[in-house]
Amino acid sequence: MRAPTLDLTLLRTLVAIADTGSVTAAAKRLAYTQSTVSMQLQRLETQLALTLHEREGRKLRFTPDGERLLNHARRLLILNDEAWSDMQARQVGGELTLGIPEDYASLLPSVFAYFHQLYPGVGLQVRCGTSGDLVERVKRAELDLALVTRQRNSPGGEIIRREPLIWAVGVNQQPSLTDPLPLALYSPGADVFREIAEQALKNAGRDWRVAYTSQSMAGLAPIVTAGLAVVVVTRSMLTPLLRPLDETSGMPSLPMIELALHRAPHRPSEPARRLGELIREQLAAPVDAWAP
């Protein structure tokens, strides 16, 4: 009797639904139609003779059996991907350059470690800079990839994640929130955060003064934690030394920003393609997961 075998394609669809939070988002990630994703989920349930998901209005929730299978699926896909990459990657070498703002580098340590494991013969170089500058360097093929904040004047790239911007102060000390509001902002042109913050305050009829500027959060953090200024950050940039301000603070609401992956115009190498996939897998998350 032939042993039953789980279909890895169906398991990959299951994981995509769990990671993205919906059939619609999973279909977009996998380049399938929504009906295909739904059909594959149903096929998996039929093969196992189990109910793996339930509907709560528009939301999809995994049953206990679905959660159990999801754990197995993740491990099986990791082993599959490792085996595939190991067989394909050993002959791959060369150099690969990734551009990223300093404040986003902390999002990718596990990606860098895993990439090195998969492609030990590839020399990965990471170049930090402002989002606008990195996009221009990718266009000139000086970088293979760049993960940046999507700028108003350079909207291209593949959107990897959306995050809300928030106002933050020091966890133990904060300035007065009366006008003129003291701000710690990125240097002009360093990122879109400054433009968004100033526009939000202007729309709210608030007055402010720039207390400190820097091209990275590392430069802004000391004055914010000292309680001398308010800063604008994403959820993922919060540290134990920062405290987000909620709507009761009287600060105007801020919009979402988009993290985008830009690729050089030449055909991507196998390492560049794989690094892009790893970054997408690491950072892809449903918007609701980052809601304030």
Side-chain angles (χ1 to χ4, degrees):
M1 179 178 178
R2 187 172 62 181
T5 303
L6 288 166
D7 187 328
L8 291 179
T9 299
L10 302 183
L11 295 182
R12 197 175 294 279
T13 297
L14 183 76
V15 170
I17 294 171
D19 288 346
T20 62
S22 71
V23 169
T24 301
K28 185 175 181 180
R29 175 193 283 195
L30 298 170
Y32 292 157
T33 63
Q34 293 182 42
S35 60
T36 297
V37 172
S38 297
M39 182 177 64
Q40 289 184 343
L41 182 56
Q42 292 171 3
R43 282 182 57 195
L44 194 55
E45 292 181 321
T46 300
Q47 289 180 2
L48 294 169
L50 294 170
T51 299
L52 303 177
H53 78 290
E54 297 173 343
R55 288 283 183 179
E56 293 181 346
R58 286 187 167 184
K59 294 185 178 180
L60 181 150
R61 183 180 68 82
F62 287 107
T63 64
D65 285 332
E67 293 289 351
R68 286 173 57 205
L69 180 60
L70 183 60
N71 290 331
H72 292 304
R74 291 189 188 281
R75 294 200 299 271
L76 287 170
L77 290 173
I78 288 173
L79 288 173
N80 174 81
D81 293 348
E82 287 179 351
W84 177 269
S85 296
D86 183 63
M87 301 308 295
Q88 297 292 316
R90 293 299 165 180
Q91 303 304 315
V92 176
E95 300 293 324
L96 176 64
T97 54
L98 168 70
I100 188 169
E102 182 180 335
D103 295 327
Y104 292 159
S106 62
L107 297 173
L108 300 179
S110 61
V111 169
F112 295 149
Y114 188 42
F115 182 82
H116 178 69
Q117 178 184 341
L118 293 177
Y119 296 95
V122 175
L124 173 62
Q125 302 178 33
V126 180
R127 300 282 186 259
C128 291
T130 64
S131 291
D133 177 61
L134 293 173
V135 170
E136 292 304 314
R137 294 182 65 184
V138 169
K139 290 179 180 178
R140 297 194 298 266
E142 296 174 5
L143 300 171
D144 295 293
L145 299 167
L147 179 67
V148 302
T149 309
R150 210 175 196 192
Q151 305 295 295
R152 297 180 188 275
N153 58 354
S154 54
E158 175 192 0
I159 298 174
I160 299 296
R161 170 185 280 178
R162 292 180 175 88
E163 288 194 48
L165 285 178
I166 55 176
W167 303 99
V169 293
V171 67
N172 295 317
Q173 302 181 75
Q174 73 171 64
S176 168
L177 300 183
T178 58
D179 293 351
L181 185 72
L183 298 180
L185 296 175
Y186 282 100
S187 303
D191 217 315
V192 72
F193 290 21
R194 179 177 184 137
E195 176 186 344
I196 290 175
E198 292 181 338
Q199 187 62 52
L201 291 169
K202 181 179 179 181
N203 292 343
R206 299 289 302 271
D207 189 20
W208 70 92
R209 63 182 178 84
V210 179
Y212 197 78
T213 62
S214 174
Q215 290 198 340
S216 71
M217 190 59 203
L220 299 176
I223 196 168
V224 177
T225 56
L228 301 178
V230 179
V231 71
V232 175
V233 294
T234 66
R235 284 280 180 189
S236 61
M237 290 167 59
L238 283 173
T239 71
L241 297 177
L242 295 177
R243 176 174 59 85
L245 294 173
D246 58 27
E247 61 278 1
T248 63
S249 67
M251 299 294 293
S253 61
L254 296 170
M256 293 271 185
I257 56 98
E258 298 173 334
L259 274 65
L261 186 65
H262 291 254
R263 296 173 175 82
H266 56 70
R267 183 176 181 179
S269 63
E270 177 63 19
R273 184 189 65 79
R274 183 57 182 157
L275 180 59
E277 290 178 354
L278 289 175
I279 291 173
R280 184 192 303 112
E281 292 168 6
Q282 174 74 12
L283 298 187
V287 173
D288 291 348
W290 295 92

